Structure formats: C-alpha cells, structure tokens
Amino acid sequence: MPTAPAQAVPNPMRLAALAAAVAVAALALPLVLPALHGVASALLAVWGDQALAGGGTLWPGSRVQGLLGQSLLLSLLSGLLATAIAALWALALLMPQGRAWRMALSALLVASFCFGTVVHLLAWRAVFPVVSGGLAGWGLAVVTLALRYAPLAAALLATGLASLERAELDTALCTGGARALWAVARRRLLRLAGMALAAVGALVFCESELPPLLGVHVYAEEFLSQVALEPSTSVAAALGWPLMAVALLCAVLLAGLPRLRATAAGAVSLGWIGHWAQPPVWLRSCLPATALALAALPLLLLAWGSLQSTGRWPAHASAALFSSLWVAGLSALLACAWAWALASAAVRAGGGVVPILNVLLWVMMLWPSALTGIALAGWSAPDWADPAAPLVLAHALRVLPFAAWVLLAFREVQPRAPVEQLRALGARGWPALRHVHLPAALPGLTAAFLLCGGLSLAELTATVLTVPPGMETVILRLYNLLHYGDQRGVMLLALVQGLTVALGIMLALVFWGRRDAGNR
C-alpha cells in the first residue's frame, strides 16, 4: 500500500530568524527616509531639469567648485590631524595602566566628542579670542575640528585593535620575528587609519557653522545659503548632492570595520596588548599623562576662560538649558527604544543582518544633519503633534546610530542561558520581557540614553532648521552669542553644558562597567 509523502515541517528557528529579519527591515525603513528623500530629490531635480532660485544650477560653477576644493582640503587636513591624535590616544589605551585609568580616559574622550564644535571653538576662544581669516583662521579651524572628531577616530582605532587575537600576534612573532609582527600590525593599522580619516573627513565636509566663524568659507555654508532661497524643500535637498556623495562613499568604506569584541567600556579590554608588548618604562609614564591632559584640554580651557571672564550669566540661558534638557531626554528616549528593537531583532535574525544594519547605521551617522533637518522641516506634522516634534525626531535620528551600536554590543555579550531556560518553560511575551530581557538590557539602555542625551545637546544644524518659533536650545543660544553676545559671559554657559555632558558620560560608563562586571 503506497504511503503518503511526508510533509515538510517548518523549522521554528528559521521562521523566527525570518520574522526577525522582516522586523529589522520594517524598523530600519523609516530611519533611512531622510537619505532616500535626499537622493530621490537630487535625481528628480536632474531628470526634470528644475530651475533653482537665483539662477543657480545643480552642477557647481567655478566659485562653488572653489568652495568644494576648500571643503575637501579642510576635511583632509582635519582628518589627518585627528587620526594622528587618535593614534596617540589609542596607543595610550594599550598601556597597562589599570581599568580605572582607561575608564577615566574613555569618559573624557566621549565627553569631548559630545561637546560639539561650538563648545570646542569657545574653549579655544579662551586662548585665541580674536582669530578670523587667513592662515590663523585655517589653523584654528583645523585644530578645533580635529580635536572635536579625534575621539571618534580613536574609537575606530580601538575597535579594530580590540578585534586582534593574541594567538595571531604570537604566531606572527614565532614564525617571522619582529618583522612579521610589524607586517601584521602595519596592515591592520593602515586600514584602520584610512577608515578613521574617511569618517572624520566626511563629518568635517558637512560642517557649515564653525568654519565661517573663523573666516573659512566652505561648500556646506554655500549650500545652506542657497537653501534659504529655495521655496521647495525637495529642490533644496537636491542641492546637497555633493554632501550626499561624500557621506555614502565614506559609509561604504567604513562598512568593513570589525565590530567591537571587547568586554568593557570602549577600549578598556585593550590592556592585554600592553602587557603582552611590555613597553619601556618611560613610555608607560609619559604617554598616559599626555593623553589624559589632551583629552581634558577642552574642559580645562573652558574652566580657564570662565575664571578669567567678568561677564554675567547670559540672558534667557536658563530657559534655553531647560529646553535643551527635555528635548535631549525625549530624543534619547525615542532613539534608545527604537535602537533596542532594532538590535534585538538583528541579533535574533543572525546571518548577514547585523552587517547590513551596520552599513545603514554608518549612512545615518555620516548623513549631513542639514539634509535631515530639511527633510523634517518639510514634513507636515499632524495637528495633534507638538510644534517641537520635528526637532525631537531630528535629534533622535541623529543620535540613533550611537544607541544602536551600544545596544548591539550589549546584546552580543548578553548571556543566552536565561533566555533559553524561559523558552523551554514556555515563558514568552511580557514575562520574558519583564524578568529577563529588560533587566539584562537596563544598563545598556541607561548608557545609551546618557550618551544620546549628550550628543543631542550639541546638535546645531538640525536644530536651526527644525526649531519651532519662540524656542531656543542651549547650543543655539551659544551659537547666537558667538555672533553678537558677550564673549566673556558665554564661557560660563559653555562650561555648564560641558560639565553636564561630562557627568552624563561618566554615569554612562559606570552603567557599562556594571554590565561588564555582571557578565564576568
């Protein structure tokens, strides 16, 4: 008697991974809408041969080409200097100085990155109060932008070095001696340095506020000037196609960056390389102190400028600080919730979902904030939404990549045993979320929330384009005071913002350290 063919039983694990991949796509699609809006606007403007206000064209003329050249030169110089400074910080993190010292240096570096370009410029104004134009303006612009983005370059270098295996170094040393070891290290370091240069260069290329303050005219400034003349946000976005091209190209270059496999905050676990290499005593003594002083330089300069100033607390600064705090809190909360859902779904999906998500996060991080602001400025918010909704959403989109990277690092080292035990017992939904997932993710969510809040406080370009009438944030207040305010009194406001960010970053690293201690 013939038997009926056996029906294929669907694999539950494969179905769960497929559902998680679909969830990642659904969650990631709204995040890339500003990038899609910019690219589609540029293509439609070219295809439809749309006319620009003031007789401008999408293809840059001789004057705009000169500005593009100056922007590329500023990006290259700032990127090279930032990579050199980052190499010093990364080398200092390799020194066997202990966990507490690395945590302190990491906190200063992350806080310095979160200060923003305006606060960094105010710090240097304490030493160079009047610098504009010429070689002095160029030099101060390069130094300020390099120190502002060097912590990001240091994080990239530390990420790549953290992916080194001790067995790889031992094998190279045993088989080929010092020459083979240097060949292995040189290949890795050159690749990482190129990635750091690409990241810093892309971010500097999109800077539109700081260079003009120092008499350095760049393409991003010209882009915002033309945007002010355009009645259509789509045509205005199309004008930024050089900014889009640089961001997309650098995101592709950074897609191959090894993901962090360290087990503590940032580069805290890199100390084994220093113990393995056994550096000389003089290097172990001088390099960490120099790196720590350089990382603390912005805060020290702001404190010095505040002590030397005799100006009063700027008018309406308290209201601006309060507005900044609640905008930063809401945007960080939204970014962390979104990033947690993305990270959880990506890790469950497995396979190539996480690398693809990593590429999208790089695109979001390098995407010009001016284009994000333009896309949201043209968004018709519902009647029930608060007027500040575009501002909060713009800040959330700007800081979400950092929250996603932090939470991805937490999810990858999270113990799987409790989750598997609950699944075996049939616990799903709210019980699993309440008793396992949320407690395990709470330190990571807290660290990501504080980091995103610090970054939101320094977001300027998207704030200028999306802030509702009658509202002012602290970074906007600082930027306005740079033009016409009391240069001495504004130092105190910048110092208060810097200390607020530094305190938040220190708490974030404390929560990260708690996560690491719990996993050991």
Side-chain angles (χ1 to χ4, degrees), residues 410-424:
F410 272 84
R411 284 301 304 258
E412 289 184 352
V413 298
Q414 183 178 340
R416 302 293 180 89
V419 179
E420 298 299 332
Q421 291 174 3
L422 276 183
R423 285 180 178 174

Side-chain angles (χ1 to χ4, degrees), residues 451-478:
L451 173 62
C452 292
L455 289 169
S456 175
L457 287 173
E459 180 57 45
L460 176 59
T461 305
T463 303
V464 172
L465 294 169
T466 57
V467 66
M471 181 179 177
E472 189 177 42
T473 64
V474 66
I475 195 67
L476 195 57
R477 186 65 178 163
L478 287 172

Side-chain angles (χ1 to χ4, degrees), residues 60-306:
S62 58
R63 176 178 172 276
V64 178
Q65 289 177 12
L67 293 176
L68 283 171
Q70 290 189 175
S71 298
L72 291 174
L73 179 60
L74 181 63
S75 300
L76 178 61
L77 295 177
S78 302
L80 289 174
L81 181 58
T83 304
I85 297 173
L88 184 145
W89 281 331
L91 186 60
L93 288 169
L94 299 180
M95 295 294 104
Q97 295 293 325
R99 176 185 174 87
W101 179 87
R102 289 191 193 87
M103 290 286 283
L105 180 58
S106 300
L108 285 173
L109 292 179
V110 178
S112 179
F113 178 67
C114 292
F115 286 165
T117 52
V118 172
V119 175
H120 273 272
L121 177 59
L122 281 169
W124 283 105
R125 283 280 175 91
V127 183
F128 305 105
V130 181
V131 173
S132 180
L135 290 178
W138 268 88
L140 187 56
V142 168
V143 171
T144 304
L145 291 171
L147 281 176
R148 188 263 191 264
Y149 290 115
L152 176 63
L156 297 179
L157 294 178
T159 297
L161 292 174
S163 65
L164 282 172
E165 299 288 346
R166 185 164 185 169
E168 180 182 2
L169 300 180
D170 288 333
T171 302
L173 186 62
C174 294
T175 57
R179 181 173 297 180
L181 181 62
W182 168 243
V184 172
R186 182 181 58 192
R187 287 194 301 268
R188 180 66 59 88
L189 289 175
L190 287 178
R191 182 187 177 195
L192 294 173
M195 291 181 169
L197 179 61
V200 175
L203 293 171
V204 172
F205 188 80
C206 299
E207 281 287 341
S208 58
E209 290 86 11
L210 183 139
L213 290 173
L214 297 173
V216 180
H217 300 288
V218 292
Y219 175 76
E221 176 195 9
E222 177 69 15
F223 165 67
L224 288 181
S225 300
Q226 186 67 30
V227 164
L229 302 175
E230 288 295 336
S232 170
T233 56
S234 297
V235 177
L239 287 168
W241 68 266
L243 305 177
M244 304 178 204
V246 170
L248 292 175
L249 177 61
C250 293
V252 171
L253 293 176
L254 289 163
L257 183 72
R259 283 180 290 125
L260 183 63
R261 294 206 300 259
T263 59
V268 171
S269 64
L270 291 176
W272 71 266
I273 300 180
H275 287 288
W276 180 86
Q278 297 181 353
V281 177
W282 66 268
L283 189 62
R284 294 176 57 179
S285 303
C286 299
L287 187 60
T290 303
L292 202 63
L294 188 60
L297 186 59
L299 269 180
L300 295 176
L301 290 177
L302 284 176
W304 171 257
S306 300

Side-chain angles (χ1 to χ4, degrees), residues 421-499:
Q421 291 174 3
L422 276 183
R423 285 180 178 174
L425 295 175
R428 299 179 184 275
W430 172 246
L433 179 68
R434 178 184 176 186
H435 295 291
V436 176
H437 298 296
L438 191 58
L442 188 59
L445 286 170
T446 307
F449 176 82
L450 294 170
L451 173 62
C452 292
L455 289 169
S456 175
L457 287 173
E459 180 57 45
L460 176 59
T461 305
T463 303
V464 172
L465 294 169
T466 57
V467 66
M471 181 179 177
E472 189 177 42
T473 64
V474 66
I475 195 67
L476 195 57
R477 186 65 178 163
L478 287 172
Y479 184 65
N480 291 332
L481 289 173
L482 274 174
H483 290 85
Y484 56 82
D486 182 5
Q487 298 298 315
R488 297 172 298 177
V490 75
M491 286 287 180
L492 183 58
L493 180 58
L495 179 62
V496 169
Q497 181 191 351
L499 291 176

Side-chain angles (χ1 to χ4, degrees), residues 99 103 263-265 410 443 447 507-520:
R99 176 185 174 87
M103 290 286 283
T263 59
F410 272 84
L507 290 175
L509 288 183
V510 167
F511 278 98
W512 184 290
R514 284 180 55 191
R515 184 275 309 177
D516 182 64
N519 288 338
R520 282 201 301 258

Side-chain angles (χ1 to χ4, degrees), residues 45 48-57 230-231 235:
D49 195 20
Q50 298 185 33
L52 305 182
T57 60
E230 288 295 336
V235 177

